Amino acid sequence: MRERSVRPHRRTFRLLGSLLLVTAVGASLTGAAPAREPSSPASGPVPLDRVIPAPASVQPGGSPYRITRGTQIRVDGSRETRTVGEYLADVLRPSTGYRLPVTDHGRGGIRLRLGKGPFGEEGYRLHSGRSGVTITAARPAGLFHGVQTLRQLLPAAVEKDTVQPGPWLVAGGTIEDTPRYGWRGAMLDVSRHFFSVGEVKRYIDQLALYKVNKLHLHLSDDQGWRIAIDSWPRLATYGGSTEVGGGPGGYYTKADYKEIVRYAASRHLEVVPEIDMPGHTNAALASYAGLNCDGVAPPLYTGTEVGFSSLCVGKEITYDFVEDVVRELAALTPGRYLHIGGDEAHSTPHEDYVKFMDRVQPIVAEYGKTVIGWHQLTGATPAKGALAQYWGLDGTSAAEKEQVAAAARNGTGLILSPADRAYLDMKYDKDTPLGLSWAGYVEVQRSYDWDPGAYLPGAPASAIRGVEAPLWTETLENSGHLEFMAFPRLPGIAELGWSPAATHDWADYRQRLASQAPRWEALGIGYYRSPQVLWPAEGGADAG
Ligand code: NGO
């Protein structure tokens, strides 16, 4: 079945949008760059280097290619290439109004081919000239990422779902591109508020635009258990029956979850499921009295405090529970990783925490998965091959940073999600109507302007597997809310994960970012008009 890419759900963000898109007025610019009109000139094609994430290498030159009524999307014989071709056709057909057949015959046009080259798993080359555009990659993921680049080289109106006038020009030249890091993640907390399969798919489509390749789902917390576990059915039916603020909550059936995994894979994202333990477990403890040390189930919880719940480390039933959950979740997970949380176990004595992690990590391995934990896992003994996800901030103590760095020197890979940079749930400034501020305000420049390779003192650059942007949802209830917090910061974190350090430049980035806005508008994505960016006038996509 063909899937459409992100399309407008205008209703969900309109209200919020009108409320929030006023901040640009009277804004003072804090960036160093001189103001320049960032939208693509109506007369010429989008410059080849105006892409996010910044490609590794761009050589502009030669004639542009023009997509016309006669353009074909040419694929080689493989099923995987055809799938990417169909995806591209689904993006281009509504706005161009052209047929754009996907075919393995003919000449010219938009050509997708698998071939040898220095592309790795995810890289690609895009060449554009008078007779056509050719995207070459070693693997389908590379073709898919090349297609995302091609989208950004077309006018923003290409993202609309009704026929637009064009012309549909792609600037001439060559882009050669491979990612800096293999881990370019986004986390969605579906526990504090529940998000439907449709809402998750919508976010997946937005992540794919920026070449994000991991979707980490935070599936359990104090406020809700969101995945059906057959051997412990009350986790979902009771533990999933509410959320922050007391709403109805919800959970994914196994069929729902498989659909999310399938859809993510169709966008070349791997789903990383997280069951947070031993803390953040009130929903499980409320569902089964036997999991509690005192045998008494606490009530369901709909507030936003953290650190008050713990699995009972001394009871055998705890490990039966963990094993059943890990077994069922591993069976639903084609990817390699299973995230076991481990953050803020303030109600678990330290020795118990260490004991718990010593018993639980081998269970994950037994079911063929690799452990990921929040960086507190480095306070226990991370299993061989485990990854730690760092979520500290500038103010984190030197001792805590050193504990993580020492683990990294010892072979534990790191995913960087510094809360005062990468947390998409932090308010932009004091007036942001959504989000939290415990890690401070995180404006767009702060979010973008750091180097993952040199971020954590004492951690070898080789230990850094990449970056991830978490989106916690204590205050976020629908797609409009998610988008307002993710845009425009998400593309910046995606760029830190993909682009070579040498391309890092705020003054240039903020201009590229500004030219994304008409695309978001065309896609119905409501975003925060940060005063740090010189946004084009709203409605810019109509100029086509
Ligand atoms: C912390 C905490 C979460 C909160 C989040 C809010 C981690 C890893 N644990 O991050 O429970 O939801 O902050 O920003």
Side-chain angles (χ1 to χ4, degrees), residues 75-86:
V75 294
D76 60 28
S78 75
R79 186 180 50 80
E80 289 167 311
T81 308
R82 177 169 286 274
T83 302
V84 180
E86 297 287 359

Side-chain angles (χ1 to χ4, degrees), residues 192 280 306 343-344 374 391 423 425-426 436 438 472 474:
R192 271 50 177 276
H280 290 279
V306 296
D343 57 322
E344 296 175 318
W374 296 105
W391 61 284
Y423 269 34
D425 59 310
M426 288 302 121
L436 306 175
W438 67 264
W472 301 96
E474 285 93 334

